Amino acid sequence: MKFSEEFKEAISNLSSMEKDKLIFRLLKKDLVLANRLQFELLSEKSVEELRDEVEERLKKYCKISSQHIYSIGYLSMDVRDMSGLINKHVSVTKDKYGEAWLNLFLLNELLEQITEQLNNLQYNWKLEKFYVAIIARIFKILLIVNKLHEDYLVEFSPELEKLGYKVGNVPILMDLAIQNGLDVNWLIKGGIPEDIQSIHKELRENGYLKY
């Protein structure tokens, strides 16, 4: 939303007390902004430290989740909860590197612990939906990494390669990756296409990656 110069000037001319009241009133309605300001103004921890804390929580969550897979539906709910941890971290810190890294960590950690169980599940639409969500998340990771400085690819490459092989260890997931336009070699060989954004956009427009 673009504000007029007159509006900006009117806000600037408010007294300090009026501005404070306005700010607190707005922050009550925007918790994301409130948390971000609290981090930027008061936090004694760095973005990296907070990222490490989220990673540790994801690791524990994945372990608990893998021990109690009652159904693919419950597993999907657990993954959504873990995604919420990542999204909250990113909304507070604006950590784009962390957004890619933590999502990559989540997928590697989860598949490390549940591949055998996944391969023993009977195929149904819920399982397909779960796998397509994983594939969509992989695309999200690749899109973010592709926008980061090229030097970061060196840091991501080993974990991307690891994920590529884990996808290959789940036959149904691998088949759906192919059907949804994900070339696992992008992960294994560290060669993210320069036009990955266009590829992703075209796939979405053609009805793929929907879950």
Side-chain angles (χ1 to χ4, degrees):
M1 180 177 180
K2 189 175 182 180
F3 301 114
S4 68
E5 292 302 319
E6 292 81 5
F7 179 68
K8 292 179 182 178
E9 185 177 355
I11 294 293
S12 298
N13 290 332
L14 291 173
S15 68
S16 295
M17 184 176 295
E18 288 175 316
K19 287 180 182 177
D20 289 345
K21 288 181 180 179
L22 183 59
I23 288 172
F24 288 123
R25 188 180 302 165
L26 292 172
L27 288 177
K28 285 181 180 180
K29 296 181 179 181
D30 192 338
L31 293 179
V32 172
L33 178 58
N35 288 328
R36 184 181 301 163
L37 283 175
Q38 188 169 336
F39 164 70
E40 293 177 353
L41 298 174
L42 299 174
S43 180
E44 297 179 355
K45 296 181 179 179
S46 67
V47 172
E48 291 75 18
E49 288 173 325
L50 292 174
R51 185 193 305 150
D52 290 342
E53 288 181 4
V54 175
E55 185 174 310
E56 190 61 31
R57 291 180 67 185
L58 290 173
K59 186 174 183 179
K60 292 178 180 177
Y61 209 144
C62 283
K63 184 176 181 180
I64 294 171
S65 182
S66 67
Q67 293 171 346
H68 304 91
I69 300 181
Y70 300 108
S71 69
I72 197 65
Y74 279 108
L75 180 60
S76 297
M77 289 173 60
D78 286 344
V79 173
R80 282 196 293 271
D81 287 343
M82 287 186 270
S83 296
L85 293 177
I86 298 174
N87 293 337
K88 182 177 180 180
H89 168 77
V90 175
S91 69
V92 169
T93 63
K94 300 181 183 178
D95 182 14
K96 295 305 292 183
Y97 178 101
E99 184 175 14
W101 182 265
L102 291 171
N103 274 288
L104 181 55
F105 176 84
L106 169 59
L107 291 183
N108 270 327
E109 190 69 21
L110 193 64
L111 290 175
E112 174 71 27
Q113 301 194 37
I114 66 171
T115 289
E116 184 176 351
Q117 297 175 71
L118 289 176
N119 284 332
N120 289 329
L121 291 175
Q122 185 174 0
Y123 183 85
N124 57 46
W125 68 270
K126 288 185 178 180
L127 185 62
E128 179 177 330
K129 186 176 179 180
F130 177 75
Y131 285 150
V132 174
I134 288 179
I135 296 163
R137 190 180 296 263
I138 293 174
F139 265 104
K140 177 180 180 179
I141 293 167
L142 294 177
L143 287 166
I144 297 172
V145 173
N146 194 52
K147 289 182 179 180
L148 296 174
H149 192 280
E150 59 184 12
D151 290 347
Y152 286 127
L153 185 57
V154 177
E155 300 177 27
F156 278 92
S157 289
E159 296 304 310
L160 288 171
E161 180 181 6
K162 187 187 301 183
L163 179 59
Y165 284 116
K166 289 184 186 304
V167 171
N169 288 334
V170 184
I172 297 176
L173 175 57
M174 184 65 179
D175 288 343
L176 286 170
I178 295 171
Q179 291 176 32
N180 283 271
L182 176 66
D183 187 342
V184 176
N185 285 316
W186 296 341
L187 305 171
I188 295 174
K189 297 181 180 179
I192 304 175
E194 292 184 4
D195 61 342
I196 184 70
Q197 191 166 356
S198 297
I199 294 173
H200 179 258
K201 181 180 179 181
E202 184 176 350
L203 287 168
R204 294 280 298 177
E205 289 175 347
N206 289 327
Y208 295 100
L209 304 173
K210 300 290 179 67
Y211 57 92

